[in-house]
Amino acid sequence: MKRRATFSHRRMSFQRLEQRQLLAGPDYDISGALYNANGFHNTDGRHAQLGQRHLFAHVDLRYGRELWVSRSDDEPAKMIADLMPGEEESRIRPLIRVGDYVFFTAWVPNEFGVNRRRLFRSDGTAEGTVPITDRKVSDELGVFQDRVLFSVSGSTIREEPSEVWITDGTEQGTRQLLSDEDRIQEDTFRSAGDQFYFQMGWSDERFFVSD
């Protein structure tokens, strides 16, 4: 019997990586190291395998781009859910499997009818495809051990901070790790061993690492 790997969910804090020329090298060296570090199970984000179920984003003229599932070569694929009702697509991306779920973000209307990108998880069924948080998230996801990293985009106009979050797919296991007035860089989450990294700022780049 195979033993399932387990990870400790210890409390995290963050520290800024100091720009020391001799220790860390110039900024482009740090950026290159983070870019090449392992952080994703599926780098293209177009599909995900969940047991016998193959989940993927598919464009249909009736529904736009939505989440579909195929269980075998002999069974036709079918749409799991029309997250953005009608012909307008939900712009699903990326599809990343972590544990028993596939995580993705999708463009959907909120309770006031305003479209915004939200984080979802799916087990391959309509009933098991649910939003994790009502926060407006970016379309990038990162994988750290058995959990998913995501960010909430801030706004300088509305004086809203940028935030880094982590989730195990449950409401109880979803929590904020960092809030900062600066902007989180796109395609930023990288993991290496028992730590993960991300970058904030444009003109004044700052690099963060979990302890």
Side-chain angles (χ1 to χ4, degrees):
M1 179 181 298
K2 295 183 178 180
R3 297 183 61 185
R4 185 175 180 179
T6 59
F7 300 92
S8 60
H9 290 184
R10 54 192 175 88
R11 191 173 183 84
M12 297 178 186
S13 61
F14 297 90
Q15 58 180 331
R16 177 174 174 175
L17 295 182
E18 297 180 356
Q19 297 179 354
R20 297 177 179 172
Q21 187 77 9
L22 294 178
L23 295 181
D27 288 351
Y28 61 82
D29 285 344
I30 301 176
S31 300
L34 299 186
Y35 182 82
N36 293 321
N38 177 41
F40 299 90
H41 294 281
N42 177 17
T43 55
D44 62 19
R46 300 173 184 172
H47 57 87
Q49 194 72 28
L50 195 60
Q52 299 299 315
R53 296 170 175 165
H54 183 79
L55 281 69
F56 58 98
H58 174 67
V59 177
D60 186 285
L61 294 179
R62 298 165 295 175
Y63 308 110
R65 184 183 300 274
E66 296 292 347
L67 186 64
W68 287 62
V69 62
S70 174
R71 291 179 173 82
S72 69
D73 295 336
D74 300 327
E75 182 180 347
K78 67 177 183 178
M79 186 174 66
I80 296 176
D82 188 10
L83 299 175
M84 176 65 79
E87 298 179 0
E88 188 176 357
E89 63 181 50
S90 58
R91 310 178 194 175
I92 292 174
R93 59 180 178 226
L95 294 171
I96 297 178
R97 177 188 173 180
V98 179
D100 297 327
Y101 298 105
V102 170
F103 293 80
F104 62 93
T105 68
W107 191 254
V108 296
N110 62 12
E111 62 271 23
F112 304 108
V114 179
N115 296 339
R116 64 195 308 179
R117 185 165 290 279
R118 297 180 65 183
L119 177 64
F120 284 79
R121 76 168 197 218
S122 178
D123 62 0
T125 67
E127 299 77 13
T129 302
V130 296
I132 298 174
T133 175
D134 61 357
R135 304 302 302 273
K136 179 181 178 181
V137 304
S138 67
D139 59 4
E140 181 199 358
L141 301 179
V143 178
F144 178 63
Q145 298 179 345
D146 59 348
R147 289 171 290 171
V148 170
L149 296 162
F150 65 97
S151 63
V152 174
S153 300
S155 172
T156 55
I157 297 176
R158 295 188 295 270
E159 297 183 350
E160 297 174 349
S162 298
E163 299 168 355
V164 175
W165 289 67
I166 194 167
T167 182
D168 62 2
T170 67
E171 182 178 356
Q172 298 78 10
T174 303
R175 60 191 178 93
Q176 182 188 115
L177 299 178
L178 180 71
S179 178
D180 193 279
E181 63 182 11
D182 214 341
R183 182 173 180 178
I184 300 172
Q185 288 276 30
E186 297 179 0
D187 190 28
T188 187
F189 292 123
R190 294 291 182 268
S191 65
D194 60 353
Q195 292 181 312
F196 66 86
Y197 304 79
F198 60 93
Q199 181 180 347
M200 301 189 73
W202 292 100
S203 58
D204 180 22
E205 294 180 338
R206 295 181 296 154
F207 299 87
F208 291 80
V209 58
S210 63
D211 68 0

